[in-house]
Amino acid sequence: MILDSLFTVLEKNALITAFAFVGILVWFSYEISARLTRGHVHGSAIAIALGLVLAYVGGSVTGGNQGLADFSLFAGVGVMGGAMFRDFAIVATAFGAELEALKRAGLVGAASVVIGVVLSFMVGAVIAVAFGYTDAVSISTIGAGAATYIVGPVTGTALGADSGIIALSVAAGLTKSVLVMIGTPFIAPRIGLNNPHAALIYGGLMGTTSGVAGGLAATDPKLVPYGAMTATFYTGVGCLLAPSVLFLLVRALV
Amino acid sequence: MVIYGVALLSFCMLAGVFVGDLLGDLIGVQANVGGVGIAMLLLIVLSNLSHTRFTLGEPTEKGIGFWSAMYIPIVVAMAAKQNVIAAISSGWMAIVAGVAAVAVSFAMIPVLSRFGKGEQHDS
C-alpha cells in the first residue's frame, strides 16, 4: 500500500520525478566514468549511452515508441527530454558564445549544411539502390531519411511514398542520430573536433539536432552552441532540397 | 531578478521559432527553418549589446546559466526517450544507410575545417 501511494506521488509529479531520476542516472554515470574508466570516457557520454539502453528496454517492454517515457512512472522523462526543453536549453548555451567564431565560419558553416544534406541523401540513396530499390520515390525517401528522421517522412509524404518506406527512412534517421550521439566523443580527436570552427562544420554536416546535441555534450560542452547553431538549419534545408532538386536528380538518373 | 533571464531566454526562443516557422512557410516546406539557430543568434546579439547600453544583472545571468547547465541532463532524458527499438529492429538497410551517412559525414569534417582556416593562413 505504501508502495502504491509512492507510485501515485511519482506519477502525479512526473516532471519532478524525471529531474530526480536523471540526477541519479547522471551521478551514477560520473561514478562509472571516474572509477571504471579513470575519466577516459566522459561521464555525460556514459549517461547518454545508459539513457539509450534504458530507451531500448522501455521500448521492448512496453512496445511504445517513446523509450523509457512509455512507462507511466517515467512519463516525465518524455517531457524533460522533449523538443521544447531541449531547444530551450540549446538556446541557453548560446549565452557566452563567441560572436567572432561564428562570423569567421559563417560561409563555411552555411556551405556545410547544404553539403551535409546532399552527402547524406546521396549515401542513403546509394544504399537503397544497393538493397534493390529501383523507383525514384523510394530511393529519395530513404536518402532523405539518411539526412534526418524528420526529412525522411516529410519527403516521403510529399512524394507519396509507401508507409513502409517512410518507416524505413525514419529508422535510418534514428540510427544516424543514435550513432552520432555515441560515436562523436570517440571520433572527435581524429577529425580535429576540438574548436568552435570545427564544431560549426560538424553541426552542419551531421544535422541531426538530437545527435549533435548529445554528441557534443559528451565531447566538450563548450562546443555545443556552435554545432547546434548550424544543425538547426539542416532539417529545414533538407525538407527544401530532398523532395525537390534531389528527387528530380534521382528520377533523372534511375 | 532570475526571472528576467529566463524571460529573456524565452523571448529569444519564441521569436526565433516563430521566424523559423515563417521562413518554412515562405519557402514552402513543412518544417521550421533554423528557428533555434535564429534564437541563439538573437540571444548572442542581445547579450553582447548589453555590454554597451544596459547590463544584465548577475541574477539575470543566473536565470540563463541555469538552463544552459541543465543542457546535459536534458540531453540524457532525450536519449532515454528515443525510439531505439525502431532504429535497431527495422532491418539492415536502415541501419546501413544511417551508419554510412554518419561515416561519410564524419570524414568530411576535416576536409571542410581546412577551408575557413586556410583563408586565415593566407593573410
Side-chain angles (χ1 to χ4, degrees), chain B residues 71-91:
Chain B
Y71 172 75
I72 288 176
I74 284 173
V75 165
V76 172
M78 177 197 78
K81 67 156 280 193
Q82 295 292 310
N83 195 355
V84 179
I85 291 275
I88 293 178
S89 62
S90 62

Side-chain angles (χ1 to χ4, degrees), chain A residues 120-223:
Chain A
S120 289
F121 181 94
M122 284 190 337
V123 170
V126 166
I127 302 288
V129 172
F131 273 79
Y133 289 90
T134 49
D135 63 300
V137 170
S138 299
I139 294 170
S140 301
T141 304
I142 292 163
T148 73
Y149 56 79
I150 298 172
V151 182
V154 166
T155 304
T157 311
L159 299 177
D162 189 67
S163 72
I165 298 290
I166 293 182
L168 275 178
S169 78
V170 173
L174 278 173
T175 306
K176 181 179 180 184
S177 121
V178 169
L179 191 67
V180 170
M181 273 185 228
I182 301 176
T184 301
F186 296 101
I187 201 92
R190 292 182 194 193
I191 54 177
L193 180 56
N194 55 13
N195 57 77
H197 182 77
L200 275 162
I201 290 163
Y202 161 84
L205 282 175
M206 295 300 155
T208 147
T209 312
S210 36
V212 166
L216 285 180
T219 307
D220 181 357
K222 278 199 284 297
L223 299 179

Side-chain angles (χ1 to χ4, degrees), chain A residues 10 37 45 47 53 62 81 90 103 111 121-122 129 132 152 156 158 163 167 171 191 202 231 237:
Chain A
L10 294 179
T37 76
V53 171
T62 64
I90 288 178
K103 280 184 192 158
F121 181 94
M122 284 190 337
V129 172
S163 72
I191 54 177
Y202 161 84
V237 171

Side-chain angles (χ1 to χ4, degrees), chain A residues 51 68 104 171 197 206 213 232, chain B residues 37 71 80 83 90 106 108 113 120:
Chain A
L68 190 65
R104 227 182 298 140
H197 182 77
M206 295 300 155
T232 64
Chain B
Y71 172 75
N83 195 355
S90 62
F106 271 147
M108 274 301 281
S113 292
Q120 279 186 311

